[in-house]
Amino acid sequence: QVQLAESGGGSVQAGGSLTLSCATSSRTFNNYCMGWSRQAPGKEREGVASINRNGATAYTDSVKGRFTISKDNAKNTLYLQMDNLKPEDTAMYYCAVRRTWYCEGFEYEHWGQGAQVTVSS
């Protein structure tokens, strides 16, 4: 069973920064594709970033150059560093896992409980 524990959401003004964290088991962390998705009110969930078992990353176009996905191997923790935040980044952010070593776009099979990010103008 995949268990994901997110933390780090909050409220920030436009241009500010936040970091999301996602802790999981070593089995999940070391073997699978992991990433982040988000869902804004009234919109479908969309993929934001991914990182495969080997550390290769991918980002959706709207966050390229502003968001950074990374892993801390010692802590079995996934991060999403979000800089220069915009009001349109406001959403519930979900840590996600695809149980393959490679990532397939932003397709995932398991999601955490979510962390709210609110950006005011």
Side-chain angles (χ1 to χ4, degrees), residues 55-69:
T57 60
Y59 300 91
T60 193
D61 286 345
S62 63
V63 308
K64 284 181 180 177
R66 301 188 298 120
F67 290 12
T68 304
I69 188 171

Side-chain angles (χ1 to χ4, degrees), residues 87-103:
E88 51 263 43
D89 294 318
T90 295
M92 185 71 78
Y93 282 71
Y94 298 91
C95 178
V97 170
R98 174 189 170 94
R99 289 178 297 171
T100 58
W101 71 265
Y102 59 90
C103 296

Side-chain angles (χ1 to χ4, degrees), residues 9 24 28 30 32 34 44 49 53 83 102-103:
T24 187
T28 295
N30 293 323
Y32 299 143
M34 296 187 69
E44 293 186 357
R53 185 182 66 185
D83 297 318
Y102 59 90
C103 296

